[in-house]
């Protein structure tokens, strides 16, 4: 047992990876029970200490997940404003080219390029709002549920 356990934000990397990958295999509404096997139990029962460490760590990860979601949605809104502005300019430019220079092949190509470029500028906000936020919300719920998991520490049976 580590004499300076991970009370607030630190958890052994292997333990974190194992718990997180294990928990992500279950539906996001799952409740968890974690049983930790220790070869040599200390004199004092470590269950409360380990429980607190696991709960604190995954609650911290849950809060970080919410902050990451907030940051992603802010980035999405800013990207949307920039993309809409750029798309508007491209559509206006394409309309001007179409109205005035319909017979010129090079300018028709430029018009089509403006249309494509304007819609490509909308790629990032569309990606964020359609697909980007789901994994963050799912992980946040898993972290939240791991932060409330029932934890038992038991000796390894020989």
């Amino acid at each position: 047992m580590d004499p300076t356990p991970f009370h607030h934000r630190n958890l052994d990397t292997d333990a974190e990876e194992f718990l997180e990958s294990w928990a992500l295999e279950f539906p996001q509404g799952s409740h968890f029970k974690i049983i930790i096997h220790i070869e040599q139990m200390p004199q004092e029962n470590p269950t409360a200490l380990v429980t607190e460490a696991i709960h604190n760590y995954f609650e911290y990860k849950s809060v970080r997940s919410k902050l990451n979601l907030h940051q992603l949605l802010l980035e999405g809104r800013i990207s949307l404003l920039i993309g809409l502005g750029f798309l508007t300019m491209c559509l206006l430019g394409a309309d001007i080219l179409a109205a005035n220079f319909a017979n010129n092949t090079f300018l028709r190509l430029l018009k089509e390029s403006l249309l494509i470029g304007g819609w490509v500028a909308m790629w990032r906000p569309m990606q964020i709002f359609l697909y980007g936020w789901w994994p963050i919300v799912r992980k946040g719920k898993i972290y939240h549920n791991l932060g409330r998991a029932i934890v038992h520490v038991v000796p390894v049976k020989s």
Side-chain angles (χ1 to χ4, degrees):
M1 184 94 185
D2 186 355
T4 56
F6 31 80
H7 286 293
H8 299 290
R9 295 185 189 163
N10 296 326
L11 190 65
D12 178 74
T13 307
D14 292 336
E16 173 199 359
E17 286 179 21
F18 174 77
L19 289 172
E20 190 173 321
S21 65
W22 167 76
L24 286 171
E25 293 176 8
F26 293 92
Q28 62 189 14
S30 299
H31 299 283
F32 300 107
K33 181 177 184 179
I34 301 169
I35 300 173
I36 299 173
H37 298 270
I38 297 180
E39 286 186 21
Q40 287 186 321
M41 287 288 282
Q43 290 180 353
E44 194 173 306
N45 188 347
T47 300
L49 186 63
V50 173
T51 299
E52 179 186 3
I54 290 173
H55 287 180
N56 286 343
Y57 181 75
F58 284 109
E59 276 304 312
Y60 169 74
K61 295 271 287 190
S62 175
V63 168
R64 290 295 311 156
S65 181
K66 287 177 187 173
L67 292 173
N68 289 342
L69 178 63
H70 176 75
Q71 188 67 32
L72 180 70
L73 294 177
L74 177 63
E75 179 185 329
R77 288 189 295 272
I78 291 169
S79 297
L80 182 62
L81 289 174
I82 292 169
L84 286 173
F86 186 74
L87 176 62
T88 301
M89 291 187 328
C90 288
L91 291 175
L92 289 174
D95 282 348
I96 290 170
L97 289 173
N100 298 325
F101 305 103
N103 295 330
N104 187 320
T105 304
F106 174 74
L107 293 177
R108 280 195 345 239
L109 178 66
L110 182 60
K111 173 195 159 241
E112 294 299 322
S113 297
L114 282 172
L115 290 173
I116 292 169
W119 286 110
V120 167
M122 295 298 295
W123 181 272
R124 180 68 179 147
M126 289 172 65
Q127 190 274 332
I128 289 172
F129 290 122
L130 293 177
Y131 309 109
W133 60 274
W134 294 7
I136 296 172
V137 170
R138 183 175 191 290
K139 278 188 173 185
K141 289 180 180 179
I142 293 290
Y143 294 148
H144 178 74
N145 292 340
L146 280 170
R148 290 179 172 31
I150 298 168
V151 180
H152 293 292
V153 178
V154 296
V156 174
K157 295 181 182 175
S158 301

